[in-house]
Amino acid sequence: MHSAFNLREYLSATSSQETLEFPLLAFPAPIRRIIEATRDSLLYPVDFMGSAILVAISVAVGNALKVQVKRAWQEGCTLFMALVGRPGTAKSHPLSFALAPFFKRDRALYQEYREEMEEYKAALALHKKIKDGSPPPEKPVIRKSLVQDSTPEALLEIHQRNPRGLGLYMDELMGFLNNFNRYSQGSEQETWLTVWSGKPLIQDRKSGEPLNIMDPSVSVVGTIQNGLLGQLAQGNRSVNGFMDRILFAFPPNLVKEYWSQTEIDPMVAVDWERYIGNLFDISLEVREDGSLEPRVVQFSPGARALLSEWQVHNTDLINNAPTESLGGLYVKLETYCIRLSLVLQAAMWATGEWDRDAVSEEAVQGSIMLTEYYRRTGTMVNDTINSYSPLENLREDRRAFYESLPVEFSTKEAKAIASGQGIAHRTLHEILKDKTLFMHLRHGKYQKLI
């Protein structure tokens, strides 16, 4: 694919470019044809279609494949992805196309579940009638690969019954983020940090069976409008590493286009469904103790050498990052470069270009190209977030109230100022709870953050 690839030359060439085009060459030729066909006919931006395809592959593979980095270090292919664009710029449609085989598969599994439930109900009624001391029939569980809006507890319960893994699809990503702690004052955001890291999730519940997921695999994908990027940092997401875990597909100068007169070949969707089916055919073994036994692949010698060379480059960037937020982004890109190499290798196998024996040098080359693209878009988002002020979202009267407060103040002082400006006590209480605007120092004492 990239026989003449020279890492230093590539990094030097891309660093001088003001914007970085989405690297179509990172994908095997059959996948490139899908991305190009949807671009030419349906006007799907390649950044969105390519990124949606990466997430779809990661969901189909799930826990079935791991790549060995070191003797005690294996990585799966969990991705958190956001497609960024203004309204009307075809963000949602590429996701719908990429996830269509999953919706079709889940519909069939749901129909099977309905039929199994009918049989179970009949068998349970007979068991209760006979009362012969035999164990009751086993209740069927629903199998699926995609989840949309769901409580955190329900999501983990579904995952426990589907150990291969899941994909969480939220058309509006801000809905997913704003739902954190909607159902409880617990640690949903911390749960997602753990999911991304692939560490065990153990949850004891007051009602129902405890949850024990030793190998979580949930990829997350959704869309977000440019104007909402600044809000991503709210709720401590900019300081706890959550933001660093999101890859951003962010095409430059994106506008709504006129319809194309080119019709898409129906075989494009057929081929894509077949590739996803090939990935689901990679079996996941479950041991007697319930633990998983994924197929573990190694890096080829050339792939490992190239990955190590890039890791030196990335480490230098981490150590010399101008801000902590950029340093945090670069740290997570090291993990993503590994995961994307596994995703691309899986894509090569699904399209008939890989025997699954090892992650190839071509896959690592493509992964580096993608990682550098996401470094550039992540930096753009980082700059947007750092220039964003929560005051921009306040109504004029509330902004005037905020600006009239001293840097440190008491609740009594705030009430006096609010009363003089016609702000109700209930509204004042709501304003003071905004952790993006204030720090609660101690009882009755606050400090402005802006």
Side-chain angles (χ1 to χ4, degrees):
M1 181 171 59
H2 314 294
S3 57
F5 186 85
N6 182 293
L7 180 61
R8 291 186 180 181
E9 290 180 1
Y10 179 78
L11 294 174
S12 176
T14 54
S15 65
S16 62
Q17 299 175 16
E18 185 175 343
T19 59
L20 201 57
E21 290 186 359
F22 187 80
L24 269 177
L25 286 176
F27 295 86
I31 299 294
R32 286 203 305 274
R33 284 195 289 271
I34 292 174
I35 299 172
E36 290 166 345
T38 55
R39 175 199 62 194
D40 296 342
S41 175
L42 304 173
L43 304 178
Y44 296 166
V46 296
D47 307 53
F48 294 161
M49 193 68 233
S51 297
I53 279 178
L54 290 172
V55 174
I57 293 172
S58 75
V59 175
V61 171
N63 276 318
L65 291 176
K66 303 276 186 180
V67 61
Q68 182 106 11
V69 187
K70 296 283 186 180
R71 204 167 278 172
W73 180 9
Q74 296 176 358
E75 283 291 338
C77 51
T78 294
L79 307 179
F80 286 8
M81 184 75 71
L83 312 188
V84 185
R86 296 201 305 266
T89 50
K91 300 186 301 295
S92 300
H93 298 311
L95 279 177
S96 297
F97 184 97
L99 298 178
F102 299 85
F103 288 118
K104 181 178 179 180
R105 180 177 184 273
D106 283 2
R107 280 197 301 272
L109 290 173
Y110 177 70
Q111 187 59 40
E112 287 181 19
Y113 169 75
R114 290 281 301 271
E115 294 171 0
E116 290 170 358
M117 277 298 296
E118 291 301 318
E119 294 174 2
Y120 163 76
K121 290 176 183 177
L124 183 62
L126 181 62
H127 174 268
K128 290 179 179 180
K129 183 177 180 180
I130 295 177
K131 298 180 181 180
D132 59 356
S134 62
E138 187 174 344
K139 187 176 182 179
V141 297
I142 188 166
R143 293 176 295 148
K144 63 192 318 183
S145 53
L146 286 184
V147 177
Q148 288 181 281
D149 192 17
S150 173
T151 66
E153 188 174 89
L155 178 73
L156 296 181
E157 188 171 329
I158 294 169
H159 192 352
Q160 183 151 287
R161 295 171 177 173
N162 293 268
R164 186 184 189 98
L166 298 167
L168 177 66
Y169 163 50
M170 296 287 289
D171 189 39
E172 294 289 343
L173 192 62
M174 282 307 301
F176 164 64
L177 300 176
N178 291 334
N179 281 348
F180 283 174
N181 300 329
R182 175 180 62 174
Y183 302 100
S184 68
Q185 294 303 309
S187 54
E188 182 178 350
Q189 187 164 283
E190 286 69 27
T191 296
W192 283 105
L193 295 176
T194 302
V195 167
W196 186 90
S197 300
K199 296 177 181 177
L201 279 169
I202 301 171
Q203 186 179 107
D204 295 316
R205 304 187 293 174
K206 293 181 180 179
S207 61
E209 293 294 322
L211 300 174
N212 189 318
I213 303 172
M214 298 306 295
D215 298 282
S217 177
V218 184
S219 287
V220 179
V221 65
T223 70
I224 186 169
Q225 297 177 23
N226 302 43
L228 297 178
L229 285 175
Q231 298 181 28
L232 287 176
Q234 294 183 0
N236 296 325
R237 289 189 287 267
S238 63
V239 295
N240 65 3
F242 186 86
M243 286 299 305
D244 305 332
R245 288 163 166 80
I246 302 178
L247 299 175
F248 294 92
F250 200 166
N253 307 316
L254 195 60
V255 296
K256 180 173 176 56
E257 299 185 51
Y258 300 118
W259 287 352
S260 168
Q261 300 306 310
T262 302
E263 291 291 349
I264 194 167
D265 185 343
M267 287 305 297
V268 171
V270 173
D271 288 342
W272 174 236
E273 184 176 344
R274 176 163 53 86
Y275 301 151
I276 291 298
N278 290 342
L279 293 173
F280 273 114
D281 285 342
I282 303 174
S283 61
L284 172 63
E285 301 298 328
V286 181
R287 302 184 183 97
E288 289 186 3
D289 63 358
S291 62
L292 307 181
E293 191 171 1
R295 181 185 179 99
V296 179
V297 296
Q298 308 288 332
F299 285 100
S300 72
R304 182 171 294 279
L306 181 58
L307 181 63
S308 297
E309 185 183 359
W310 176 86
Q311 193 270 342
V312 169
H313 163 75
N314 192 59
T315 300
D316 289 341
L317 290 179
I318 294 169
N319 293 332
N320 294 287
T323 64
E324 286 189 12
S325 57
L326 282 178
L329 166 65
Y330 298 164
V331 168
K332 297 302 181 289
L333 287 180
E334 180 174 297
T335 300
Y336 266 132
C337 194
I338 296 165
R339 293 181 180 182
L340 288 169
S341 68
L342 180 60
V343 170
L344 289 176
Q345 199 67 53
M348 293 176 189
W349 176 80
T351 57
E353 298 184 9
W354 177 44
D355 59 7
R356 282 185 291 172
D357 286 341
V359 173
S360 65
E361 187 173 350
E362 288 79 7
V364 172
Q365 291 170 9
S367 178
I368 289 172
M369 297 167 75
L370 287 165
T371 303
E372 292 303 322
Y373 166 84
Y374 291 121
R375 186 195 305 279
R376 186 69 60 85
T377 57
T379 301
M380 292 166 56
V381 172
N382 186 275
D383 291 343
T384 301
I385 289 173
N386 287 335
S387 64
Y388 168 78
S389 170
L391 292 178
E392 296 175 12
N393 285 338
L394 291 181
R395 292 190 336 222
E396 187 175 343
D397 58 338
R398 296 190 181 193
R399 189 182 307 127
F401 165 72
Y402 184 88
E403 292 172 348
S404 64
L405 289 168
V407 176
E408 290 190 15
F409 59 93
S410 66
T411 305
K412 183 178 179 180
E413 291 173 312
K415 286 181 177 178
I417 296 173
S419 178
Q421 297 184 9
I423 293 178
H425 285 180
R426 181 175 180 180
T427 302
L428 171 63
H429 180 68
E430 178 187 327
I431 296 172
L432 292 179
K433 288 198 303 182
D434 191 335
K435 294 181 180 179
T436 66
L437 298 175
F438 304 102
M439 178 185 295
H440 189 194
L441 299 175
R442 57 188 180 277
H443 180 69
K445 289 288 185 179
Y446 293 87
Q447 177 180 317
K448 290 165 64 174
L449 297 178
I450 302 172

